[in-house]
Amino acid sequence: MAVQIEGLAVTYYPIPKSGTSSVKYALMALGDKHAALAADPDNEVHTHLATNWVDPFAPVYDGMGGKFTIVRDPLERLLSAYSSRILDANVLTGPSAKAEMLASFGLPSDPDLDTFVLNVEKYSACSWEIQFHIASPRCFVGSSLFLFEHVFRFEEMDKVADFLSSASGKTVGMPRLQTARHKVSPSDLSPAALAKAMRFCRYDYGFLVDYYDSARWGGIPDGDPAETSTLHVKGDPTALRDGRLVYPRTLRNFVDFLVQRPLKSTVKRVG
């Protein structure tokens, strides 16, 4: 959901694995609500300020001021999801995972990086937490970044702090929350896994073309247009292709892009 600070014309649209914990904490601190997070700020911040889905094929028109979001290199975001959800949180061994489905796929609950990436769709189907953290940024900010007054790169968290400080008239600190204990990098991927990861993130690189260049990792390899991607992670039940749920590319998508549609999720106001 969009997050606002009461009395301040700032609206934040969080994208998982893009600094959301840190920014939410900073926003709660501006609203003098951060004391409630003393026990476990890394996780409790999300119970106070949730991150919700939006229609990835519809632009987010909501009339709120100071709209901003933070985007991240798609490949690095995918690997961060592996680090935080698999290596750090072990979500595939927890109650939220679908153990029987995982077993039916013949996949381990503690996959190494290559195994995870090469089977990322199956792991996503087995865990809503993985699904949530690897889904396309368009699933959280809609189809157009042009509607945002500020789009920051993940590497520019200091600029986010400066922006919030300027907007609020207060000095805003940006703590580093949810920092992965186990870090992996693209260099840890085999050539096959790197190619799979880049194909999986191909639409996100198109969406973020003004911010990140896939050429940094060798570009997007050729492949089947029907191959799954981050946009397929949360499928549209109205479209079936070979038994798989996919997002349809129909006139509805084009109409939704052009027509102003209100944001369906509620706005969380802090303060």
Side-chain angles (χ1 to χ4, degrees):
M1 67 175 63
V3 179
Q4 282 190 302
I5 304 171
E6 189 172 327
L8 189 64
V10 168
T11 310
Y12 171 50
Y13 289 77
I15 300 172
K17 305 314 303 171
S18 303
T20 59
S21 299
S22 300
V23 178
K24 287 178 181 180
Y25 184 91
L27 292 175
M28 290 192 69
L30 278 175
D32 294 322
K33 301 294 184 180
H34 60 298
L37 306 175
D40 184 14
D42 279 311
N43 294 301
E44 289 183 8
V45 67
H46 298 293
T47 64
H48 290 267
L49 302 177
T51 300
N52 286 354
W53 305 96
V54 300
D55 185 339
F57 289 101
V60 176
Y61 287 96
D62 55 17
M64 299 175 189
K67 290 170 60 173
F68 78 98
T69 191
I70 302 167
V71 296
R72 188 173 187 176
D73 179 276
L75 177 60
E76 293 186 334
R77 178 172 172 259
L78 175 63
L79 299 189
S80 177
Y82 169 78
S83 296
S84 68
R85 298 299 93 194
I86 303 295
L87 298 182
D88 290 351
N90 298 312
V91 297
L92 291 173
T93 63
S96 65
K98 300 176 182 178
E100 292 184 1
M101 180 181 291
L102 193 65
S104 71
F105 288 139
L107 294 174
S109 60
D110 58 345
D112 59 33
L113 181 58
D114 269 25
T115 299
F116 174 77
V117 169
L118 292 171
N119 297 277
V120 65
E121 304 94 338
K122 294 177 181 177
Y123 278 114
S124 175
C126 293
S127 168
W128 71 263
E129 292 192 56
I130 292 175
Q131 178 193 81
F132 185 77
H133 287 85
I134 69 173
S136 173
R138 292 200 293 185
C139 294
F140 304 97
V141 297
S143 64
S144 177
L145 289 175
F146 294 106
L147 301 178
F148 287 77
E149 295 180 26
H150 302 277
V151 178
F152 298 99
R153 286 160 43 100
F154 179 75
E155 298 81 9
E156 301 173 329
M157 294 298 283
D158 56 332
K159 293 184 179 180
V160 180
D162 291 343
F163 164 66
L164 293 177
S165 297
S166 176
S168 65
K170 302 178 182 179
T171 300
V172 175
M174 193 65 65
R176 292 298 302 272
L177 301 184
Q178 285 287 1
T179 300
R181 297 191 299 273
H182 303 86
K183 297 184 182 297
V184 296
S185 70
S187 63
D188 297 320
L189 292 165
S190 69
L194 175 60
K196 171 61 181 286
M198 295 303 289
R199 289 289 302 164
F200 187 68
C201 296
R202 64 192 183 276
Y203 295 125
D204 295 343
Y205 277 107
F207 183 57
L208 302 177
V209 64
D210 293 328
Y211 304 93
Y212 294 102
D213 187 352
S214 65
R216 178 185 180 189
W217 312 116
I220 309 297
D222 293 336
D224 181 359
E227 183 181 351
T228 55
S229 73
T230 57
L231 278 174
H232 296 90
V233 166
K234 189 172 175 60
D236 189 328
T238 65
L240 281 171
R241 183 189 299 158
D242 299 328
R244 294 183 291 113
L245 293 179
V246 299
Y247 275 116
R249 290 167 175 78
T250 65
L251 179 61
R252 180 183 72 86
N253 303 148
F254 182 69
V255 171
D256 286 348
F257 184 82
L258 295 179
V259 177
Q260 296 185 7
R261 298 178 62 201
L263 184 68
K264 294 181 180 179
S265 59
T266 58
V267 176
K268 180 68 175 183
R269 292 180 172 81
V270 182

